[in-house]
Amino acid sequence: MSAATEGGLPPRAPRRLAPDLARGAMLLLIAMAYAGVYVGAGFGTDVVGYPLQDRAASLLTTLFLDNRAFPMFAILFGYGMAWMVSRQLDRGTPEREVRRLLRRRGGFLLLFGFVHAFLVFPGEILTSYGLAALVTGWLLLRSNRAIVRAAVVFAVFYVVTVPIGMVGMVMADGSAADDYALVPGYLTAGDWFERLVFLPFGPVFIAIAFPLLILVVLGYRAGRAGLLDDPEAHRGFLTRVAVVCTSVSVLGALPVALTVQGVLSPGTLTEGLYMGLQVLSGVLGGAGYAALFALWGTRLERRKGPLAGAVAAMGQRSLTFYILNSVLVAVMLHPDLVGLGTQAGPFGALLAAALAWSVSLVLAAWLEVRNRPGPLDQLMRRCVYGGRRAREAARDEPVRRDG
């Protein structure tokens, strides 16, 4: 038995609803998180004096969305990477070739992300996933013990770096995105230069100041265990994770939520530590959300309605619709485009994101009825596998599963 299969990689199984359903729903939450930046209401923004609906939107966003959607998506990304390696090894692909595929996937994710960051949203996450794949992908050819050890090392690392990063952001500007700092314009050469200069720093900053690497590694371990492919067999464990992790996540976000509402008035250091706690507890939030969707998917597996089917169809084509949602949100809200972001607050940003996601949902359902992959997902497969291998992958993996 090779190290890659030690601990019992799950056998190949029919496509399950839970991972795709989770990805599709998380695309809505990620679009909502992006939308807030376009209206100057990013993570940590003081909303005292805002209208009631905006303050309510900020409260819900801080407790349930900020640094919670991203962690779940990162876990699902790691889960999909583990699934991909398992499939390749089951088919007899040599480990040397699997390493090459992992490097190509990470490299092309970086490329796709750089294009997205340069043209649309500099704070995007594909580049971070590409970096994570390149840094940690080798663990997928090691034992479960090696993956757990790596998770422990990353946990210690982030307990140090996340609070430092959050304190630094508070000292620098008072929040992560008070003044549209993450969304340069389109009209001047300086705007494009700013976008270009930011490209190499974005993924590195996210990998250090946010717990990206541990989230992806946790996804590797969950993929090895097949938690989302056979949630019935893990119902008790998933239920505990959903209840405990989600509850702790909300409690961890509460100090920041009360601070931005004006209930608490901490000093700079304390506010930064509150923000660090919110970010770190988001790891548990991501795990709790993944467990919730796995349990929900189990119930819907027997009687999947058209809405759940459309959400899962979007999740199956997650790369395409991640980019499309981001573009639609930018078009609606960016000051240099339609410009609604200059008039909308946090509540309006959530509505704009929901509208963009709804448009994507209709398109995803249309693609599913016609059994067509997402265009960008298909392009990614061709880039990673090449022509003939892409056709083989398309037969085995009708749509991309590594979110």
Side-chain angles (χ1 to χ4, degrees):
M1 179 182 295
S2 71
T5 58
E6 180 183 327
L9 276 167
R12 292 194 289 181
R15 191 175 195 95
R16 299 302 295 263
L17 179 65
D20 295 330
L21 190 69
R23 289 187 188 94
M26 283 301 104
L27 287 174
L28 169 62
L29 301 188
I30 288 175
M32 288 178 168
Y34 283 8
V37 178
Y38 286 102
V39 302
F43 173 51
T45 300
D46 190 336
V47 294
V48 175
Y50 279 49
L52 179 60
Q53 70 272 17
D54 287 331
R55 297 188 66 174
S58 174
L59 178 64
L60 294 176
T61 298
T62 304
L63 291 177
F64 300 105
L65 176 58
D66 282 337
N67 304 307
R68 271 95 186 117
F70 161 70
M72 179 178 173
F73 219 54
I75 290 172
L76 292 174
F77 170 75
Y79 192 99
M81 291 279 286
W83 183 88
M84 181 196 77
V85 169
S86 173
R87 290 296 295 268
Q88 291 294 327
L89 295 174
D90 284 350
R91 294 172 58 187
T93 305
E95 288 193 2
R96 181 177 178 180
E97 175 65 11
V98 174
R99 290 192 187 95
R100 188 184 74 87
L101 292 175
L102 287 169
R103 289 194 299 269
R104 287 179 65 86
R105 187 174 293 279
F108 279 109
L109 278 171
L110 276 173
L111 178 60
F112 278 52
F114 281 144
V115 173
H116 177 220
F118 183 63
L119 297 178
V120 186
F121 185 66
E124 70 91 49
I125 57 177
L126 289 181
T127 50
S128 304
Y129 289 171
L131 179 63
L134 293 173
V135 172
T136 68
W138 60 274
L139 288 168
L140 291 169
L141 296 170
R142 297 294 185 269
S143 67
N144 288 337
R145 180 176 295 181
I147 292 176
V148 172
R149 285 175 176 170
V152 172
V153 171
F154 286 134
V156 173
F157 174 76
Y158 285 120
V159 165
V160 175
T161 63
V162 170
I164 291 175
M166 295 303 110
V167 170
M169 286 203 303
V170 173
M171 292 178 65
D173 199 21
S175 82
D178 262 341
D179 56 357
Y180 309 95
L182 290 179
V183 282
Y186 290 100
L187 302 182
T188 70
D191 291 333
W192 291 103
F193 180 75
E194 183 178 352
R195 288 174 177 270
L196 183 63
V197 168
F198 185 79
L199 287 182
F201 298 103
V204 176
F205 174 75
I206 291 175
I208 294 175
F210 294 86
L212 168 71
L213 299 178
I214 189 175
L215 290 163
V216 173
V217 170
L218 289 175
Y220 293 164
R221 189 62 190 92
R224 286 276 182 93
L227 293 180
L228 303 185
D229 285 306
D230 191 8
E232 281 286 359
H234 306 280
R235 176 177 290 274
F237 175 74
L238 290 172
T239 300
R240 290 192 294 274
V241 170
V243 173
V244 174
C245 290
T246 303
S247 300
V248 174
S249 170
V250 173
L251 290 175
L254 191 58
V256 172
L258 295 178
T259 298
V260 300
Q261 297 288 329
V263 177
L264 298 178
S265 300
T268 298
L269 176 62
T270 302
E271 183 180 354
L273 293 177
Y274 284 168
M275 292 176 68
L277 177 62
Q278 201 271 0
V279 171
L280 289 172
S281 61
V283 174
L284 299 178
Y289 286 2
L292 282 171
F293 279 107
L295 296 170
W296 185 31
T298 300
R299 297 188 61 181
L300 294 177
E301 196 89 47
R302 308 183 191 93
R303 53 181 191 281
K304 182 173 68 175
L307 178 59
V311 174
M314 185 186 293
Q316 290 170 15
R317 301 160 177 87
S318 56
L319 178 59
T320 295
F321 287 106
Y322 166 73
I323 297 292
L324 178 60
N325 288 342
S326 178
V327 170
L328 292 175
V329 168
V331 168
M332 284 189 285
L333 298 179
H334 196 289
D336 290 346
L337 301 175
V338 174
L340 296 179
T342 59
Q343 307 168 31
F347 181 72
L350 296 184
L351 290 181
L355 177 60
W357 184 82
S358 299
V359 171
S360 293
L361 193 66
V362 173
L363 180 56
W366 182 83
L367 290 173
E368 180 71 10
V369 168
R370 285 155 181 78
N371 197 30
R372 295 182 181 178
L376 293 181
D377 302 86
Q378 186 176 38
L379 177 60
M380 174 62 78
R381 280 198 300 274
R382 288 187 176 276
C383 289
V384 173
Y385 294 103
R388 182 179 62 83
R389 293 293 303 277
R391 290 191 292 272
E392 293 175 359
R395 288 196 295 270
D396 280 353
E397 305 174 50
V399 281
R400 183 170 172 263
R401 184 169 174 169
D402 61 343

